[in-house]
Amino acid sequence: MKKKFLGNWFLFILSTVTLSAFAQNTSQGTKQKQYQISSPDGRLQVNLQVGSEITYDLTVDGKPILSPAVLSFRTNKTTTEAAAKSPGWQVKNSHKQIIDERLKPVVAQKSSVVINHCNELTIAFKNNLRLTWRVYNNGVAWRWSTLPSRDYNTAYHIVGEQAEIGLKAGDSLWYALEEGFYSGNERFYHHWPVDSIRSGKLASLPVLMEAGGIQLLLTESSLFDYAGMWVRGTGRGGLKGVFPHFPTRLKEAGDRDVHVEARADFIAKAAGARDFPWRVLMVAREDKDILANQMVYNLARPADGDFSWVKPGKVQWDWWHLNNVYNVNFRAGINNDTYKYYIDFAAKNGIEYVLLDEGWCDVRDLLKQSRDIDVEMLARYAKQKNVGLILWASWLTLDKQLDQALDSFASWGIKGIKVDFMQRDDQLMVDYYEKVAKAAAARKILVDFHGAYKPTGLIRSYPNVMTSEGVLGNELSKFTDWITPGHTATLPYTRMAAGPMDFTPGGMRNVQKDAFKAVPSEPMTLGTRCNQMAMYVIYESPLQMLSDVPTHYIRSPKCMEFLRAVPTVWQNTVPLAGEVGKSVVIARQALNNDWYIGAMTDWEPRDFEIKLDFLPKGNYKMILWQDGPNADRNAKDFQMKTLQVNPEATITIRMAKGGGYVARLIRL
């Protein structure tokens, strides 16, 4: 990591990182110190009070946004009788530095260059713990570490971590309510006042908070060998982090479910000095600013090794429509003819991958293929067409056969795996994610985690981990009317802020809400055709699915013109407009310098006047797909037009209820 340091105190003051300390006697006799650290532009400031406890608050543009809240970290070494003789947090030393670097991600989720510029404050304590803060222009983060010492050179337990958020009366949250720690984190985001969040209301991260007119998104980064953080209400109008404790008794229930029947009285085991996960608070003055935030990536552990072989792309998916291919001369199903058809379709349309989801093998044995499938033959056939195959696996079966299965997959020429149904993020399961990522990388295999917790920066640490679920996505449209345009207009500001999400867009049987029916073999999606198409610009997933049956895509060549062209990684991202749960408008620059615009709305029709001043100078051919005049009645109705525009132009985006809009701009 390249870091720039300022060599004298005067220049450091001018850099807007201010660090001051004063001491006073408390009732416990513990000296109290105060520290401040500001963002590079001086507009965000964290104030720390260190004494008998550690508290912090946050100021944005000179306005207090978060009230003082408590931070703490306890191991079984800090709770001994010897430690009790030195109450409070006694500072050993503190350190300050500026980080200013340009990162070039292997997989360009939002941009091909990521700016990592922040001010950092590190405080080391006499109990051999360290607290590090980083303050960016668009957010703040902190993490704990254990320092090399006699206590932490051997095994120890983390018995508690206190991470509170000091919200105020009148603040509100977008809250992913959960029933318990056993969850695939596929949840709605309920918009509730903070006063209604009681201690019994558990939520998975991320959580989006509206505080003092500012949006704050809470999530975490660099989660390794530890438990994921969740939140509950404090009962005092704020939030507190909670963690699934270390499992001590597990019970298998079938080929994929493993339930925790007993837990230890500690969060995690550890050995040796180490860093723990970053707690991330993104700061956005406008809702749309969240869409460009890359703090999770910046704070993630850098990759170690060569990942130049990683290839993003689109994927033709089979499970969503139950292989219900028609208008063909063979019997469709889980068989070679059907997958050759998928491969041929992918090859013709420049789709990089075909996924064989559940059904291609015995769910308890990844080396026992279904009767009518020959994966090795299909992989050879796909390779001839420049298409790769991805195989689904139950996480539990893969865990039992990891090396044998991945060795076989690699020998067959398989390019990726979709690992499903983990549904936990205690320390043991978090370790499993890294084990799979590392084992797959060693064989040059991509990974898509389903039944998963939210991303925490693995796309940087292991760039072969391309995407993950942990989202209430399109697959549920097979069974329910839950996936509404209001929900899909919420996700870019909430779940997607944590990292890539495998929402699986691309449904072509589009309906308004009064026409919806659950048809698992030929699913419908709520909202317009252009709403689904816009997801390919708005939703970030370097391994992006085409969820519907090829038959439907073939019947809509105008849509396929867009789906063939739209990429899955981006050179640049420019948020244009939007409001959480209501709308989103975004522009992205492809690696080939084409630009794309995507827009979505909830059940309200909306118009936007958008300036094209984000474009580089020149004239552009603009091909657009917009809701048709009857899309409010027949959601499949759309129009395709071609215009000539330049950076001085202003375009009008009109969307029907549940609507959308996409455009491709090619420089002339």
Side-chain angles (χ1 to χ4, degrees), residues 363-589:
V363 293
R364 296 180 183 272
D365 186 352
L366 296 171
L367 302 178
K368 185 178 180 181
Q369 299 178 30
S370 295
R371 182 184 61 189
D372 298 321
I373 284 285
D374 183 343
V375 174
E376 293 173 81
M377 180 276 293
L378 290 172
R380 290 193 299 270
Y381 183 81
K383 184 178 181 180
Q384 294 171 0
K385 307 258 183 174
N386 199 29
V387 174
L389 297 188
I390 298 172
L391 300 180
W392 174 93
S394 160
W395 80 271
L396 182 57
T397 304
L398 181 64
D399 192 34
K400 294 176 179 178
Q401 297 182 298
L402 184 63
D403 290 329
Q404 184 184 14
L406 292 185
D407 284 344
S408 295
F409 294 174
S411 70
W412 299 347
I414 299 304
K415 302 301 182 183
I417 54 175
K418 175 181 175 179
V419 189
D420 208 351
F421 292 108
M422 289 76 70
Q423 301 186 107
R424 294 172 19 226
D425 67 350
D426 50 57
Q427 185 182 24
L428 290 180
M429 186 57 77
V430 169
D431 288 349
Y432 173 80
Y433 278 65
E434 186 174 16
K435 179 171 68 173
V436 170
K438 186 180 296 184
R443 297 160 174 90
K444 296 187 176 180
I445 291 175
L446 307 177
V447 181
D448 173 3
F449 283 118
H450 261 238
Y453 58 79
K454 82 280 176 191
T456 59
L458 274 183
I459 195 171
R460 181 180 184 189
S461 308
Y462 292 94
N464 62 312
V465 178
M466 304 288 281
T467 191
S468 63
E469 192 182 25
V471 62
L472 188 63
N474 232 15
E475 68 176 30
L476 268 297
S477 296
K478 285 166 62 85
F479 311 115
T480 75
D481 61 357
W482 296 350
I483 313 304
T484 66
H487 172 67
T488 57
T490 301
L491 293 175
Y493 306 95
T494 52
R495 163 61 184 82
M496 197 177 79
M501 61 180 193
D502 195 9
F503 179 87
T504 66
M508 304 295 279
R509 291 192 69 203
N510 319 106
V511 295
Q512 295 292 353
K513 55 186 172 182
D514 57 348
F516 181 86
K517 294 180 181 178
V519 184
S521 63
E522 205 169 1
M524 301 178 182
T525 58
L526 284 167
T528 69
R529 172 71 56 83
C530 289
N531 185 280
Q532 285 286 310
M533 292 171 67
M535 294 175 184
Y536 288 89
V537 177
I538 295 169
Y539 288 175
E540 296 163 359
S541 180
L543 206 61
Q544 186 69 277
M545 301 289 163
L546 273 71
S547 61
D548 216 330
V549 62
T551 314
H552 293 170
Y553 295 128
I554 291 168
R555 285 180 169 180
S556 189
K558 291 181 179 180
C559 292
M560 279 310 301
E561 182 175 336
F562 167 76
L563 292 175
R564 276 194 298 269
V566 66
T568 65
V569 289
W570 304 99
Q571 184 178 164
N572 194 17
T573 291
V574 181
L576 298 174
E579 185 176 353
V580 184
K582 295 182 179 180
S583 63
V584 56
V585 187
I586 199 166
R588 299 191 194 267
Q589 184 182 20

Side-chain angles (χ1 to χ4, degrees), residues 73-84 89 127-129 146 149-161 226 264-272 276:
F73 193 84
R74 293 185 298 121
T75 74
N76 60 332
K77 305 295 185 178
T78 60
T79 56
T80 62
E81 182 178 350
W89 292 89
N127 60 7
N128 292 312
L129 296 179
T146 48
S149 63
R150 182 178 61 184
D151 284 340
Y152 294 125
N153 288 338
T154 57
Y156 55 96
H157 296 160
I158 295 85
V159 298
E161 179 179 353
Y226 197 68
D265 60 356
F266 55 85
I267 297 171
K269 298 178 180 180
F276 293 91

Side-chain angles (χ1 to χ4, degrees), residues 183-414:
S183 171
N185 300 151
E186 301 174 40
R187 299 288 164 168
F188 290 111
Y189 283 87
H190 302 274
H191 193 199
W192 288 333
V194 65
D195 294 343
S196 70
I197 308 298
R198 304 302 177 192
S199 59
K201 288 184 176 179
L202 176 71
S204 52
L205 298 183
V207 170
L208 179 63
M209 299 162 281
E210 299 175 350
I214 299 293
Q215 297 283 9
L216 304 172
L217 186 129
L218 174 65
T219 190
E220 60 183 333
S221 182
S222 206
L223 173 61
F224 292 105
D225 198 25
Y226 197 68
M229 189 168 89
W230 304 49
V231 293
R232 293 188 190 275
T234 60
R236 305 185 303 276
L239 297 179
K240 62 180 179 181
V242 293
F243 304 85
H245 278 207
F246 188 88
T248 57
R249 188 170 69 251
L250 300 171
K251 182 179 180 180
E252 292 185 18
D255 62 88
R256 61 197 64 179
D257 293 329
V258 176
H259 298 286
V260 179
E261 294 195 324
R263 296 186 185 273
D265 60 356
F266 55 85
I267 297 171
K269 298 178 180 180
R274 56 161 293 189
D275 297 323
F276 293 91
W278 287 100
R279 311 305 171 203
V280 181
L281 272 173
M282 300 179 185
V283 175
R285 296 169 181 83
E286 297 182 61
D287 293 9
K288 67 182 178 67
D289 295 340
I290 297 169
L291 304 173
N293 194 298
Q294 300 197 69
M295 286 181 64
V296 171
Y297 184 91
N298 282 331
L299 295 163
R301 189 175 77 193
D304 181 15
D306 176 24
F307 287 90
S308 60
W309 53 271
V310 169
K311 181 183 177 182
K314 296 187 285 287
V315 186
Q316 176 57 53
W317 189 28
D318 58 349
W319 180 88
W320 193 63
H321 49 269
L322 298 178
N323 292 286
N324 186 23
V325 175
Y326 57 97
N327 288 344
V328 294
N329 60 2
F330 58 85
R331 181 68 174 175
I334 300 175
N335 57 49
N336 291 331
D337 285 340
T338 300
Y339 286 103
K340 282 186 174 181
Y341 176 77
Y342 287 133
I343 292 165
D344 290 344
F345 172 76
K348 183 178 180 180
N349 291 284
I351 297 167
E352 289 83 357
Y353 300 100
V354 168
L355 170 61
L356 282 68
D357 211 300
E358 183 172 2
W360 74 269
C361 69
D362 186 323
V363 293
R364 296 180 183 272
D365 186 352
L366 296 171
L367 302 178
K368 185 178 180 181
Q369 299 178 30
S370 295
R371 182 184 61 189
D372 298 321
I373 284 285
D374 183 343
V375 174
E376 293 173 81
M377 180 276 293
L378 290 172
R380 290 193 299 270
Y381 183 81
K383 184 178 181 180
Q384 294 171 0
K385 307 258 183 174
N386 199 29
V387 174
L389 297 188
I390 298 172
L391 300 180
W392 174 93
S394 160
W395 80 271
L396 182 57
T397 304
L398 181 64
D399 192 34
K400 294 176 179 178
Q401 297 182 298
L402 184 63
D403 290 329
Q404 184 184 14
L406 292 185
D407 284 344
S408 295
F409 294 174
S411 70
W412 299 347
I414 299 304

